[in-house]
């Protein structure tokens, strides 16, 4: 398997624009996690899915953030409208069990100017 | 809210020495504690984990200990090598909250 795939790897956008980050989990993994990493706040869990169903989204910072998982092989994290404070590295991870090894993707570095 | 405190934030050791990183968690219902290593420009990678029914686990040069009473767990790396240089994160899974809380990370530098 190619591992968790994220796209784009880098995204630069202007404040107010919509941003969509994409993730393809490892086949057969039932859990998918979205994280945000910044120097100030470290690694934060934003939301996670089990069998395509959102289980906990309490980490989503604001209504500007939304995540979907339309099928077992694809998930998106959308920010609309984006703000400079959203600049961070966003990671997607997948696992077979909720308490088990999570396989992280390479991340998307988002810069909002 | 629930949190995980991690210390130290930076750690420098001489090659061959041991390194210890400590984490304290607040949620007494936490029952799974993974440790991740993150190299520059990459996503975190699991290096070892421990469940609450075990006090210690080893994997070659890496070990993790858990003290449920004190609610803390530690990562021990022996015979450190330059390739151990990275940022290490601890995390706790709350069986009551059903979420992961990560520590703030420790930047380990192994000096050759």
């Amino acid at each position: 398997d190619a591992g968790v795939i994220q796209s784009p790897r880098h995204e630069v956008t202007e404040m107010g624009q919509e941003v969509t980050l994409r993730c393809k989990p490892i086949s057969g993994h039932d859990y998918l996690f979205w994280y945000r990493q910044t120097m100030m706040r470290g690694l934060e869990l934003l939301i996670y899915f089990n069998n395509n169903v959102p289980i906990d989204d309490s980490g989503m910072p604001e209504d500007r953030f939304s995540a979907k998982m339309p099928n077992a092989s694809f998930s998106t994290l959308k920010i609309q409208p984006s703000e400079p404070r959203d600049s961070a590295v966003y990671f997607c991870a997948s696992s077979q069990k909720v308490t088990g090894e999570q396989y992280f993707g390479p991340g998307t570095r988002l810069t909002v100017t | 809210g629930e949190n995980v405190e991690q210390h130290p934030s930076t750690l420098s050791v001489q090659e061959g020495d041991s390194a210890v990183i400590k984490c304290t968690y607040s949620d007494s219902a936490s029952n799974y504690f993974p440790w991740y290593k993150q190299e520059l420009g990459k996503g975190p990678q699991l290096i070892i984990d421990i469940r609450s029914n075990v006090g210690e686990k080893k994997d070659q040069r890496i070990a993790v200990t858990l003290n449920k009473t004190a609610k803390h767990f530690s990562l021990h790396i022996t015979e450190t090598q330059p390739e151990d240089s990275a940022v290490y994160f601890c995390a706790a899974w709350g069986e009551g909250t059903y979420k992961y809380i990560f520590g703030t990370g420790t930047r380990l530098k192994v000096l050759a």
Side-chain angles (χ1 to χ4, degrees):
Chain A
D1 203 312
V4 174
I5 299 172
Q6 290 187 247
S7 65
R9 292 294 310 276
H10 302 273
E11 177 80 38
V12 180
T13 190
E14 292 184 347
M15 182 174 62
Q17 296 298 305
E18 177 180 295
V19 175
T20 299
L21 311 182
R22 298 172 175 81
C23 175
K24 176 179 169 56
I26 293 173
S27 177
H29 283 190
D30 292 336
Y31 289 86
L32 184 140
F33 304 81
W34 281 101
Y35 291 90
R36 178 173 67 176
Q37 186 173 40
T38 61
M39 288 295 293
M40 290 296 294
R41 301 176 67 91
L43 196 60
E44 301 173 278
L45 176 61
L46 300 178
I47 184 171
Y48 74 95
F49 296 82
N50 176 215
N51 291 324
N52 313 339
V53 176
I55 302 301
D56 187 282
D57 65 355
S58 60
M60 297 286 262
E62 300 171 34
D63 291 345
R64 299 184 295 107
F65 286 69
S66 62
K68 294 182 179 179
M69 192 165 186
N71 57 62
S73 59
F74 184 65
S75 177
T76 60
L77 178 67
K78 186 176 295 186
I79 308 173
Q80 166 63 19
S82 59
E83 297 183 3
R85 59 194 168 118
D86 301 331
S87 297
V89 179
Y90 291 82
F91 287 103
C92 173
S94 70
S95 66
Q96 290 182 314
K97 306 176 190 177
V98 70
T99 55
E101 180 170 6
Q102 292 184 33
Y103 293 82
F104 282 75
T108 295
R109 181 173 294 277
L110 173 65
T111 303
V112 183
T113 60
Chain B
E2 306 299 347
N3 74 310
V4 173
E5 293 187 1
Q6 183 172 346
H7 300 281
S9 57
T10 60
L11 179 61
S12 293
V13 299
Q14 288 294 133
E15 182 178 359
D17 287 350
S18 295
V20 180
I21 303 170
K22 300 181 179 180
C23 288
T24 303
Y25 59 97
S26 60
D27 182 3
S28 57
S30 296
N31 62 358
Y32 174 68
F33 308 91
W35 283 91
Y36 284 85
K37 175 183 181 183
Q38 186 176 23
E39 298 177 338
L40 194 62
K42 297 183 178 180
Q45 184 174 12
L46 182 76
I47 54 171
I48 196 167
D49 57 9
I50 191 167
R51 298 184 187 272
S52 59
N53 59 346
V54 175
E56 183 176 5
K57 183 177 179 181
K58 289 183 180 180
D59 183 3
Q60 299 183 346
R61 297 186 297 109
I62 296 173
V64 56
T65 58
L66 172 64
N67 183 326
K68 287 173 56 180
T69 302
K71 292 193 286 188
H72 68 69
F73 56 112
S74 300
L75 177 71
H76 304 254
I77 306 174
T78 59
E79 300 172 22
T80 53
Q81 302 167 3
E83 51 265 39
D84 294 329
S85 296
V87 179
Y88 292 81
F89 292 95
C90 63
W93 165 258
E95 189 60 25
T97 58
Y98 295 103
K99 63 175 62 175
Y100 279 101
I101 305 294
F102 277 75
T104 49
T106 296
R107 183 173 298 278
L108 173 65
K109 294 181 183 178
V110 179
L111 308 172

